[in-house]
Amino acid sequence: MIREKAMIHKITRRSLVKGGTMLAGAAAGLGTIYGPWKHNRAYAQEGKPIKIGLTCDASGMYGASGRSELRGITMCIDEFNANGGVLGRKIEWITADTETNPATASRVAERFINREDCSILIGAIHSGVANAITQVAEKYGTIYLNTNSSSPTESGENCSRIKFVWDGNGTNFTMSSVTAAVERVGKKWLLLTNDYVWGHETSDATRKLVEAAGGEIIDELLVPQNTRDFTSYLLKIQQLQPEVVAPAVGGDDGKILRAQVAELGLDQQAAWVQSQQDWPDVWAAPESIVGIFGTNWYHKLKLPGVDDFVKRWQARADEGAIPVPGNVAYCGYMGMRETLRAIERAGTTNNIAIIKELEQLKIPAVDRMQDYDAWMNPDTHHLQQTIYLARRNPNPVDDTDLYEIISASKPENVIDPQEGQMCKLAPYDQFPTVDG
Amino acid sequence: MFTLIPFLINGLTLGLLFALIALGFMLIVGVMEQINLAHGSLFALGAYVAYAMLGPPLPFTGEVGAWWAALPLWLRYAVALIIAPCIVGLLGILIEQGMRRTYGKDPLFGLLLTFGAALVIEDLIRSIWGTRDYILPTPDAISGGFIALNLIWSSYRFFAAAAAAVFILLTWLLIERTRFGAVIKAGAHDSEMVRALGYDLAKLRIAVFAIGTMLAAAAGMIMAPIWGIRPHMGVDAVIPAFLIIVLGGVGSFWGAVIAGLLVGMVIGLTAAYASEWSLLSMYILLIVVVTFRSRGLFGKKSILEA
């Protein structure tokens, strides 16, 4: 009791201030030695699985594509796990339906990072969804692989140090087709534009290329998302009589549009030049494949590895899956594969180390199952790759042989000129570090 | 030359289809004072059941399957247009049985129950047919296009509009020109009196719910070749249906029909002149009408005001 009292007397206001000052000084000294903190998140433990969040849409206008993308990504993860994983660690994955909805995608991304400890996120078709995930991933320094969203904004003004874009963008696809179409098909063009960022960006790219090639845009019709009846638009197209129609209408909307165009035989009245056509969108309705369109892969390309890839896909496909891999599944598979390989090469799961590996990525054509070598643009984080032009196959060898590939453009010939100007990647040290 | 007539014709056909989608919804809301949030899912199920009957592979094999497959497509299509709504109607009866306990209680219970039913039906569709899209085969006679006014028109669109008009007419005859219709309308106004007169109100409610469900399924089958078949297609139907009912006036048969036509015309015309506003236009129309007439165009006192 007496001792306690003595102690109390010893702790004076002066000693408190002195002690506090010393503690602050010690903390500052430690800070000088160890700070700023290098690791904001460190999930890594010996032998602990690496966890990846698959932010794929399972419903909404890109639900069908999202399911295909998911299958491509999980196929890749299964193959790595069968070979012992990465750095001797198994890969675990989790997925949740992002519903083709940016708000839902944000919530899913937050949950995957904060509650599920995912150190990498992968997957998106809709550019709004991809952008929403990017913003969440940026906060935490989590690497995000945008596998299938093709808006030029994704690797342009919305690019990010933590994001890598694996599909060709609207401008790449458009460049492969528009100039030739102006010269060979006609100069009177009409744009049919999905009224959101991907549609606008793609149509803007088309407009510039058409006008540069001496063509004229006679009208642009804006199509709201979730339009189910295109008859009014088609009536207007019939009355305006363009020589070429360039639709930038994606997902379910694009599917229904093409079915209605084919039903009316409007593809006979004007040439239809689409920037891109995703495989899951045409699977149920091959008769709806109208005009010419861009793609970055086809399961019947006569290239090494393609047949084997298709066989591996078919060996694991369940009853509900599309029986052959399409471009969406291909992008999911390739984005995942190259990132896991980058982890292996870096010898660490540290996010900055992986980002630096991916920025140097070069993929030989034979390894990528495309005609030309691909490379990652370190200034935009957008994979530069072969762009194919295709149309409906008049002589299919089987039920899945829907496309006829009519040309293959080298990556350097279809580089998006705006991308590099719009994209400003923030320095590495502005992002939290993550060890997965 | 840019002419208005094709757009008016297109708006009219689209309006008839919207009216058909809304009709079953209207019947259940108007007569039973229950908002059936499963209407969209039942609409989708109608399309899927029709696909099961018409698209490959057929649900039955052996001799029956071979016999059915050998029938001409137009005959199978006509049979499916009757049978598919009947099959979905049975599910409607099940839902009504579940709703029974909610009668006379807070309307929220009925809303929650039908919302739950919608989720169950959508998951049921996914588990049976997967997430893949399907196209409903249509007979050659009503497929493809034809030329009129120097333009190509969709044959199926006109068939669908005509079929919608027939279903609307049949429903009107049932409600307005039969003893059954008189009793269910009386039941909606004064259920005690109807019961006192010796009518079994429970059976009447089953019948109304079944008819409403069958109309949803028929609309689903008719719209399937236009919208495509996929699990969430019901959402595309239930939102305009709800909007049309409020616009036309809850419980008003002709209100639903005229509101459907109006919505179709507005969407069709805005798509022609201000395309980016085409889907938004129906919401603007609703806001304008409800601002000046809160009960909708032909509404009496609605359950929303109760």
Side-chain angles (χ1 to χ4, degrees):
Chain A
M1 189 75 182
I2 296 167
R3 234 159 109 188
E4 279 178 13
K5 200 174 177 181
M7 285 286 282
I8 290 168
H9 279 290
K10 279 179 188 170
I11 301 171
T12 60
R13 190 170 63 88
R14 182 183 292 266
S15 65
L16 264 176
V17 171
K18 199 192 282 182
T21 310
M22 283 171 69
L23 267 174
L30 281 170
T32 311
I33 297 165
Y34 296 109
W37 305 108
K38 287 291 180 195
H39 292 278
N40 295 67
R41 279 172 182 263
Y43 303 130
Q45 286 172 18
E46 193 67 29
K48 186 187 170 189
I50 297 168
K51 196 160 183 183
I52 298 175
L54 278 48
T55 51
C56 304
D57 306 317
S59 59
M61 70 185 280
Y62 287 120
S65 288
R67 306 288 290 197
S68 190
E69 177 182 68
L70 179 77
R71 180 163 291 278
I73 297 167
T74 55
M75 174 173 158
C76 174
I77 292 174
D78 288 349
E79 288 180 358
F80 269 78
N81 277 335
N83 289 318
V86 176
L87 304 177
R89 295 165 64 187
K90 286 282 177 194
I91 305 150
E92 276 184 4
W93 58 269
I94 183 171
T95 190
D97 182 7
T98 44
E99 299 171 351
T100 319
N101 180 335
T104 310
S106 284
R107 284 198 300 276
V108 168
E110 281 279 358
R111 180 157 67 83
F112 279 1
I113 297 171
N114 280 319
R115 288 171 53 189
E116 302 291 345
D117 291 348
C118 293
S119 56
I120 294 174
L121 302 182
I122 175 169
I125 314 286
H126 188 283
S127 52
V129 167
N131 189 27
I133 298 169
T134 308
Q135 289 178 38
V136 176
E138 268 192 330
K139 267 194 303 183
Y140 302 103
T142 305
I143 291 175
Y144 167 50
L145 312 173
N146 170 358
T147 42
N148 276 293
S149 165
S150 315
S151 171
T153 53
E154 273 300 287
S155 48
E157 61 183 279
N158 295 334
C159 69
S160 171
R161 181 69 72 183
I162 54 94
K163 174 167 69 182
F164 291 87
V165 181
W166 299 87
D167 196 1
N169 74 19
T171 305
N172 301 146
F173 290 117
T174 302
M175 288 177 78
S176 73
S177 58
V178 168
T179 308
V182 172
E183 287 163 6
R184 293 179 205 163
V185 182
K187 295 192 185 304
K188 275 174 64 182
W189 285 57
L190 182 139
L191 303 174
L192 200 57
T193 307
N194 238 169
D195 198 5
Y196 77 104
V197 63
W198 168 78
H200 283 279
E201 293 287 329
T202 301
S203 283
D204 284 349
T206 306
R207 179 188 293 274
K208 283 175 188 153
L209 288 165
V210 168
E211 288 172 353
E216 175 202 2
I217 304 294
I218 61 168
D219 207 341
E220 179 173 10
L221 308 182
L222 296 179
V223 180
Q225 284 188 82
N226 298 316
T227 294
R228 289 290 160 267
D229 188 331
F230 287 87
T231 318
S232 298
Y233 300 95
L234 301 181
L235 280 168
K236 198 163 181 183
I237 290 168
Q238 290 187 63
Q239 294 194 8
L240 291 168
Q241 296 185 328
E243 290 171 307
V244 183
V245 181
V249 180
D252 287 346
D253 295 7
K255 208 180 304 185
I256 291 164
L257 166 68
R258 289 192 302 273
Q260 294 177 9
V261 169
E263 182 198 0
L264 292 179
L266 267 189
D267 50 329
Q268 307 301 317
Q269 280 204 349
W272 288 67
V273 176
Q274 303 164 79
S275 73
Q276 186 192 15
Q277 190 155 276
D278 285 333
W279 181 262
D281 289 350
V282 294
W283 176 253
E287 65 281 359
S288 72
I289 300 176
V290 296
I292 57 171
F293 51 88
T295 185
N296 64 350
W297 196 71
Y298 183 52
H299 73 288
K300 287 195 182 291
L301 285 172
K302 302 286 179 211
L303 293 171
V306 174
D307 288 346
D308 179 52
F309 183 74
V310 174
K311 276 180 195 155
R312 284 175 5 237
W313 169 278
Q314 287 173 332
R316 73 193 304 279
D318 62 29
E319 204 176 316
I322 293 174
V324 289
N327 64 304
V328 176
Y330 166 80
C331 286
Y333 180 93
M334 282 291 167
M336 191 75 266
R337 187 189 79 173
E338 295 308 326
T339 305
L340 295 177
R341 283 178 174 177
I343 295 173
E344 200 80 66
R345 284 197 302 276
T348 171
T349 52
N350 176 275
N351 61 337
I352 301 299
I354 300 168
I355 287 170
K356 287 179 177 173
E357 270 299 326
L358 285 173
E359 284 174 346
Q360 303 169 35
L361 182 65
K362 288 184 171 44
I363 317 172
V366 67
D367 189 29
R368 188 161 162 77
M369 301 182 287
Q370 287 184 330
D371 276 66
Y372 302 106
D373 294 352
W375 74 92
M376 185 65 73
N377 183 338
D379 299 324
T380 61
H381 285 195
H382 183 200
L383 189 78
Q384 306 301 302
Q385 59 187 295
T386 313
I387 299 294
Y388 296 95
L389 204 55
R391 64 184 169 206
R392 186 175 180 183
N393 191 350
N395 303 304
V397 296
D398 60 40
D399 288 347
T400 71
D401 191 15
L402 303 182
Y403 290 1
E404 181 189 17
I405 300 292
I406 51 179
S407 75
S409 299
K410 288 183 176 176
E412 53 267 38
N413 292 340
V414 290
I415 287 176
D416 177 356
Q418 298 295 317
E419 185 174 272
Q421 295 167 23
M422 301 297 287
C423 173
K424 303 285 176 245
L425 296 176
Y428 302 107
D429 61 8
Q430 285 191 11
F431 293 91
T433 58
V434 182
D435 270 343
Chain B
M1 170 142 172
F2 193 73
T3 58
L4 189 63
I5 294 167
F7 294 97
L8 291 173
I9 295 170
N10 181 53
L12 197 67
T13 56
L14 186 61
L16 281 166
L17 295 172
F18 273 126
L20 177 63
I21 292 169
L23 209 56
F25 196 70
M26 185 283 295
L27 206 60
I28 293 168
V29 175
V31 175
M32 296 176 63
E33 301 205 339
Q34 294 287 335
I35 294 174
N36 177 20
L37 291 180
H39 186 78
S41 302
L42 294 163
F43 168 92
L45 192 61
Y48 274 98
V49 172
Y51 178 79
M53 296 178 72
L54 300 176
L58 294 169
F60 27 74
T61 53
E63 280 184 30
V64 178
W67 169 80
W68 174 252
L71 293 176
L73 182 58
W74 68 264
L75 185 56
R76 286 190 288 140
Y77 186 91
V79 173
L81 196 53
I82 296 164
I83 300 297
C86 291
I87 293 170
V88 180
L90 293 174
L91 185 64
I93 292 173
L94 274 180
I95 296 172
E96 197 279 337
Q97 296 289 306
M99 282 180 72
R100 197 157 277 202
R101 291 179 184 181
T102 70
Y103 294 154
K105 296 180 183 166
D106 191 331
L108 189 64
F109 293 126
L111 279 177
L112 286 173
L113 193 134
T114 53
F115 182 62
L119 296 177
V120 169
I121 294 168
E122 195 170 319
D123 271 351
L124 187 75
I125 287 172
R126 282 182 204 274
S127 64
I128 296 174
W129 285 281
T131 54
R132 195 192 292 178
D133 289 23
Y134 298 96
I135 297 290
L136 189 70
T138 50
D140 287 343
I142 52 172
S143 299
F146 64 91
I147 299 209
L149 301 170
N150 260 343
L151 298 170
I152 303 174
W153 297 83
S154 159
S155 303
Y156 187 78
R157 198 65 52 104
F158 283 96
F159 162 78
V166 169
F167 274 105
I168 290 167
L169 184 67
L170 288 175
T171 309
W172 179 79
L173 287 172
L174 182 74
I175 302 292
E176 300 293 337
R177 290 288 182 268
T178 64
R179 187 178 183 82
F180 169 78
V183 174
I184 59 169
K185 279 195 295 182
H189 290 294
D190 191 341
S191 58
E192 287 304 314
M193 179 59 73
V194 169
R195 203 173 279 133
L197 288 170
Y199 291 101
D200 186 342
L201 208 57
K203 283 183 182 166
L204 289 173
R205 281 179 165 146
I206 290 176
V208 170
F209 210 95
I211 294 167
T213 306
M214 288 164 73
L215 283 170
M221 180 178 166
I222 290 170
M223 292 304 284
I226 300 172
W227 285 2
I229 304 174
R230 60 197 177 289
H232 58 278
M233 67 186 283
V235 178
D236 300 329
V238 76
I239 294 172
F242 192 79
L243 187 143
I244 287 164
I245 296 307
V246 177
L247 184 64
V250 177
S252 166
F253 179 91
W254 288 113
V257 174
I258 290 169
L261 289 173
L262 261 178
V263 167
M265 294 292 255
V266 165
I267 289 179
L269 289 175
T270 43
Y273 292 102
S275 56
E276 66 272 34
W277 292 88
S278 67
L279 280 190
L280 205 59
S281 61
M282 63 177 169
Y283 299 104
I284 295 170
L285 178 68
L286 178 70
I287 291 167
V288 171
V289 170
V290 171
T291 302
F292 295 102
R293 192 175 165 82
S294 60
R295 290 173 184 177
L297 293 172
F298 297 88
K300 295 170 187 166
K301 189 179 181 189
S302 78
I303 57 163
L304 299 177
E305 293 173 89

